[in-house]
Amino acid sequence: MTIDAANLKRMFEAIAVAIEADKDRLCQLDGVIGDADHGIAMELGFNAVRDALAPLDLAATEPTALLNTAAKSFLNAVGASSGPLYATAFMRAASAVKGKATLVEADFIALFQAMAQGIKDRGKAEPGEKTMVDAWQPAAEAAAAANLAGKTLAESLKAALAAAESGAEATKDMIAAKGRSSRLGERSLGHMDPGAASAVTVIGAMTKSLTSAL
Amino acid sequence: MPVQTKKIINDGNRAVDEMLEGILAAHPRHLRSADGSPRSIIARDGPRPGKVGLVIGGGSGHEPTFLGFVGRGLADAAAIGNVFASPPPDPILECAKAVSGGAGVLFMYGNYAGDVMNFDMAAEMADMDDIEVRTVLTTDDVASAPRDQRQKRRGVAGNFFIFKAAGAACDRMLSLDEVERIARKANDHTFTMGVALSPCSLPQTRRPNFEIGADEMEIGMGIHGEPGIARGKLRTADEITDEMLDKIFAEMAPSRGDKVAVLVNSLGSTPLMELYIMNRRVKQRLDDIGVSIHATWVGNYCTSLEMAGASVTLFHLDAELQTMLDHPCDCAMFRAG
């Protein structure tokens, strides 16, 4: 099983659809501990990615170029915090698969890990600070562990999704240490971090899209 | 179907760009947009060779912050984001390029995670173009972190004084080192507290950003509707002003004979009548402790769309900061000197 530019394009389309469906919930989660626009930012970003990828000649586009296009279009459409975080994720993903025309399963796991690391580096956040890192890091670790244990990409991504879900759930018990909600102190307790929630949506759409293609 | 807030807009997703078109139409003598970058608003008469360029910016929805303070003697450019969201690096970089006079560029904006990431990326890109960029974050919101964590605080209405001082330093052709020093000093001397009475709502959602009871107020709420430090029954103007001033005084530690500048700012839908009632109390309290008022501004300076509420800012002056405050400026939505 290999993944090419067409698979990646369909993956981004699937994320855009999933985020659009989830937009209102994400804005509401953000409204409790922030400024209520996280769903809007994510929708703008992934719609911009979808529009930027649409005219690409996929036969002549390597995954790296596609991912860099995604990074640039997401960043320029959004700004905010999700802009630099996801743009960095896609840029790191691009460099993780540089020079490859198609990706084997281990390449995609490396790409996925690079995304999580990019988000962590750009936001300078550690697990436990109630951010999207609390979903992305365990997801990347679970995917890598499953891959190492000889699981298929589909199984590895399912493990990643499950880890992201429990990571996001765990943010309810955390006090925010980064971002706008960090000024709330203990008042952020009991609420899921919207960035972790949207990470689950993104990872879920990636999993579904790539799994159904496999 | 949830109740939608009423707004005079065409399309929520076009609100920022249509606002910018209207602003450029209203202030052609002061403002232009950078070529090919409509979200980069540049002062027509400000940037010049040998002068440090001042770039401010942040999300929309706080007008006249940020772009109202673009003009000679204040900011040279403002990068404009979506509503309550940082601009991406590209329009910030275009601002830096447009105002770079060879003496360096100062980025100034409120301390929010998204702004920090986007402006830092723009600074890295400017560096590749051989433009030296320094950054000073504004952290005047007393309510947003304890005193020993001042660097974590938000930047709010006090931006007005802090940008004013930095802009004056730039206009006086001081070096980047000196401009940065004055900008940091102005930030350290600026203290803001806010109170919110009713929520704002975003043009895209047209739903209230937070819920607050009909008879409640929230002290310390942020300018995007971030929760504050205490929620309670709505009290009188004097009681609210006193609570805010007590917190500000505790930080500012004023002495008899000191001088301040005062800003009483509407968060969007609180009218001048109420702001002047608050200002009356500010004057009484400052008189009581023997602090004189050098200048006062009352009105819309840093808003949060249609949020009801107000903030009080004191700018604790010394001779240098007073000189910077008094330096003339001529901006689209503000003039002094």
Side-chain angles (χ1 to χ4, degrees), chain B residues 315-335:
Chain B
F315 186 30
H316 200 180
L317 295 171
D318 65 3
E320 182 177 55
L321 292 175
Q322 186 178 320
T323 302
M324 298 302 154
L325 187 65
D326 291 344
H327 185 84
C329 70
D330 183 11
C331 302
M333 304 177 205
F334 176 67
R335 214 149 290 135

Side-chain angles (χ1 to χ4, degrees), chain B residues 105-122:
Chain B
V105 170
L106 183 67
F107 285 175
M108 290 188 83
Y109 52 92
N111 180 27
Y112 298 91
D115 290 294
V116 172
M117 285 189 275
N118 286 284
F119 274 86
D120 279 356
M121 289 175 87

Side-chain angles (χ1 to χ4, degrees), chain B residues 53-67:
Chain B
L54 177 60
V55 176
I56 60 175
S60 297
H62 306 303
E63 293 71 30
T65 294
F66 294 86
L67 72 191

Side-chain angles (χ1 to χ4, degrees), chain A residues 12-27 38-48 50-51 198 201-202 205, chain B residues 13:
Chain A
F12 278 111
E13 286 164 355
I15 299 172
V17 169
I19 286 289
E20 195 157 345
D22 208 19
K23 176 177 81 166
D24 287 344
R25 182 184 73 106
L26 296 174
C27 284
H38 182 62
I40 294 168
M42 292 294 283
E43 183 193 35
L44 270 174
F46 281 106
N47 282 350
R50 180 174 55 194
D51 294 347
S198 66
T201 306
V202 170
Chain B
N13 291 322

Side-chain angles (χ1 to χ4, degrees), chain A residues 35 75-76 80 180 183 187, chain B residues 86 111 118 144 152 209 228:
Chain A
D35 62 1
L75 185 60
N76 285 331
R180 283 190 187 160
R183 282 93 175 195
R187 290 174 75 187
Chain B
S86 169
N111 180 27
N118 286 284
S144 54
K152 288 191 178 172
N209 260 28

Side-chain angles (χ1 to χ4, degrees), chain B residues 206-224:
Chain B
R206 293 178 53 203
R207 270 197 308 272
N209 260 28
F210 56 89
E211 285 174 15
I212 185 165
D215 59 346
E216 285 184 324
M217 62 173 201
E218 180 149 335
I219 294 267
M221 177 155 269
I223 54 169
H224 313 97

Side-chain angles (χ1 to χ4, degrees), chain A residues 158-180:
Chain A
K158 283 199 175 98
L161 178 58
E165 281 167 349
S166 42
E169 194 63 30
T171 63
K172 289 181 181 171
D173 299 324
M174 296 175 190
I175 295 173
K178 284 273 186 314
R180 283 190 187 160

